[in-house]
Amino acid sequence: MRFLTHGDKSKKSIFLIHGMANTSDLFAALLPYLKDYYVIVCELDGHSAKEQGTFVSVKDAAEKIEKYVKYNLDSKLYGLLGFSLGGTIATELISRGNIEVERTVLDAAFVIRMGIMTYPFKYLFQVSIWLIEHNVHIPDAVVESIMGKGNSGIVDTLYKGVSLKSIGNATLSCYKYDVKDGIRKYKNRVAYWRGENEPYPVKSARLLKKYLPQMKVCVFKGMGHGQLLNEHTGTYAKRLISFLEEA
């Protein structure tokens, strides 16, 4: 796992965790807007062109992040943002309570068990990544059925070097994830973000609201999975900064 830092360490920290089959590049366009913060971008195991490795599980990723934050940031973060798989990892982090996080954004975190659809979806994502790695075009309609209408461009953000084993481990870890009861102890500010056209995060937000009554749910109109971040980065940054700075 790689940790890429940006800015002055004396400033408020914000920790960013990307999604499945992404790299730290997912946040590259966001960084110029966050110059008033000390930004740490996590690059998950199996998702880096710079470092070999295999993604093991949400729990394993959370433990490695906790270790980093403990030794480099005195176990404290001002802000935490996780997208998709990163949002599930962020959910795990605030559930465990081993590091202090003042404000958390769960962007399309996936925390719903998929039941009998777990392995079909695992296979679907592995096949999709294999096709992308081999430059085989996936029909827009297929992409949009999962990622949201008008969001076929998300394919361009995916990392072709991710292994099928990492994809398999990531999907199983997400689709079998159980929200821990310990998350109820998290009393700080938390927001759940999702696109209006995302079919699955609706249920995740509903479930998390039962554990986190203070959680604010924000729906981005006309957007699919990760679309606001990828295609309207300035707007995404303004929403993030507003959340971090609101009294």
Side-chain angles (χ1 to χ4, degrees):
M1 185 177 290
R2 299 175 71 220
F3 299 94
L4 310 175
T5 60
H6 307 268
D8 185 348
K9 195 173 182 179
S10 66
K11 296 180 178 179
K12 291 179 178 179
S13 61
I14 178 170
F15 196 99
L16 309 178
I17 312 174
H18 62 75
M20 183 175 68
N22 295 134
T23 68
S24 59
D25 290 343
L26 180 72
F27 298 116
L30 184 63
L31 293 176
Y33 297 95
L34 301 176
K35 292 181 179 179
D36 291 334
Y37 296 88
Y38 179 61
V39 183
I40 308 97
V41 182
C42 170
E43 196 163 67
L44 299 171
D45 290 331
H47 291 70
S48 175
K50 304 290 185 181
E51 182 178 273
Q52 291 187 337
T54 299
F55 184 87
V56 176
S57 67
V58 167
K59 180 183 177 182
D60 177 73
E63 288 174 347
K64 290 175 179 176
I65 291 169
E66 286 173 346
K67 183 177 179 180
Y68 177 88
V69 174
K70 177 181 178 181
Y71 287 105
N72 293 277
L73 295 157
D74 297 323
S75 298
K76 297 178 182 179
L77 292 173
Y78 179 73
L80 171 64
L81 181 148
F83 165 67
S84 195
L85 168 62
T88 310
I89 296 168
T91 301
E92 178 74 2
L93 286 167
I94 62 173
S95 299
R96 291 161 63 90
N98 294 328
I99 59 175
E100 295 180 34
V101 183
E102 290 195 35
R103 303 188 181 207
T104 301
V105 176
L106 306 173
D107 185 348
F110 200 97
V111 298
I112 297 294
R113 291 179 67 90
M114 292 294 287
I116 61 173
M117 293 305 295
T118 296
Y119 286 92
F121 268 90
K122 169 182 175 285
Y123 177 73
L124 173 63
F125 276 104
Q126 286 180 315
V127 169
S128 297
I129 291 298
W130 187 91
L131 292 173
I132 291 167
E133 288 177 351
H134 290 78
N135 299 311
V136 178
H137 176 70
I138 301 175
D140 291 352
V142 174
V143 177
E144 292 180 7
S145 68
I146 299 172
M147 300 299 180
K149 183 179 179 181
N151 194 29
S152 60
I154 194 172
V155 171
D156 296 330
T157 72
L158 301 181
Y159 172 49
K160 294 182 179 181
V162 66
S163 70
L164 297 186
K165 185 173 183 180
S166 287
I167 292 297
N169 289 345
T171 52
L172 290 181
S173 192
C174 274
Y175 299 157
K176 293 183 177 182
Y177 185 77
D178 285 316
V179 178
K180 311 297 189 299
D181 199 59
I183 200 172
R184 298 181 191 275
K185 297 178 182 179
Y186 186 76
K187 302 300 182 183
N188 293 342
R189 295 199 178 193
V190 55
Y192 190 98
W193 292 358
R194 68 172 180 84
E196 181 183 29
N197 297 333
E198 293 190 77
Y200 298 105
V202 179
K203 293 182 179 179
S204 290
R206 189 179 302 134
L207 175 61
L208 285 169
K209 187 71 173 178
K210 295 178 180 178
Y211 291 86
L212 298 165
Q214 79 276 26
M215 186 179 80
K216 294 182 179 179
V217 179
C218 182
V219 180
F220 303 136
K221 289 188 176 182
M223 295 290 104
H225 191 63
Q227 193 171 4
L228 190 71
L229 171 60
N230 297 328
E231 299 180 11
H232 307 279
T233 310
T235 300
Y236 190 95
K238 288 179 181 178
R239 288 182 177 271
L240 175 57
I241 293 169
S242 176
F243 173 76
L244 292 172
E245 295 182 353
E246 66 183 7

